[in-house]
Amino acid sequence: MADKDKILLEVVTPEKVLAQVKADIVVAPGYEGEFGVLPGHLPFLTSLQTGEMYYKDGGETHYLAINGGYAEVLPDKVTVLAEEAESARDIDVDRAKRARERAEERIKKAKSEGLDYIQAEAELRRAMVWLKVAERRLSVQ
């Protein structure tokens, strides 16, 4: 496949550049739902929600967990500026499980103790995405 048949993907968080690769397709969790980008796509800008992102390079699929941010799509490039992101290979499954348990406990206590239910729900959603992406890695090994 020639380079013109690829799209440059850059995934950046405040801490690091997570990915800078040429991909065949990029799929990300947009604010209004999942979207896919192929080379030559029409330009657009969107916010991102917490969810799973992946890109394909040849026969290989790479997964990332994304927690908010923005994506700029150009015909030859996708730039993701994520508030938080982690590749499947870097996710600590035990830490994500503990985060899920903490969030579930906060949700149970939210009404009785006046905790922020919406924040607890967002924490649970994040932990569940991190676990889902980690499972993708474990199922490939």
Side-chain angles (χ1 to χ4, degrees):
M1 191 174 274
D3 251 8
K4 68 179 177 147
D5 295 332
K6 299 267 188 176
I7 190 162
L8 177 61
L9 169 65
E10 291 183 338
V11 180
V12 180
T13 70
E15 291 81 32
K16 62 186 171 188
V17 174
L18 194 61
Q20 195 167 26
V21 298
K22 297 244 178 171
D24 300 316
I25 186 172
V26 175
V27 179
Y31 182 75
E32 294 187 16
E34 187 177 79
F35 65 89
V37 179
L38 294 167
H41 200 288
L42 289 173
F44 70 92
L45 181 65
T46 186
S47 57
L48 299 172
Q49 64 179 338
T50 301
E52 177 182 67
M53 178 181 170
Y54 67 90
Y55 64 91
K56 291 185 180 186
D57 180 16
E60 200 169 342
T61 304
H62 304 269
Y63 295 92
L64 301 103
I66 299 288
N67 189 25
Y70 297 91
E72 177 188 42
V73 174
L74 300 172
D76 61 346
K77 183 178 181 181
V78 175
T79 303
V80 172
L81 303 173
E83 293 173 22
E84 184 179 22
E86 201 166 357
S87 66
R89 70 180 175 276
D90 295 332
I91 293 174
D92 181 335
V93 175
D94 291 331
R95 188 181 77 207
K97 285 180 181 177
R98 288 190 306 272
R100 179 186 62 197
E101 291 166 3
R102 281 191 310 272
E104 289 170 342
E105 282 301 312
R106 284 190 66 180
I107 286 173
K108 287 179 190 174
K109 295 178 182 178
K111 288 186 179 177
S112 64
E113 296 182 16
L115 298 175
D116 186 350
Y117 181 84
I118 294 171
Q119 179 64 33
E121 191 176 57
E123 291 170 7
L124 178 59
R125 190 170 38 255
R126 180 207 175 273
M128 297 301 290
V129 166
W130 258 244
L131 286 169
K132 178 181 177 185
V133 171
E135 287 173 7
R136 297 248 189 226
R137 174 194 73 213
L138 297 172
S139 67
V140 172
Q141 292 180 348

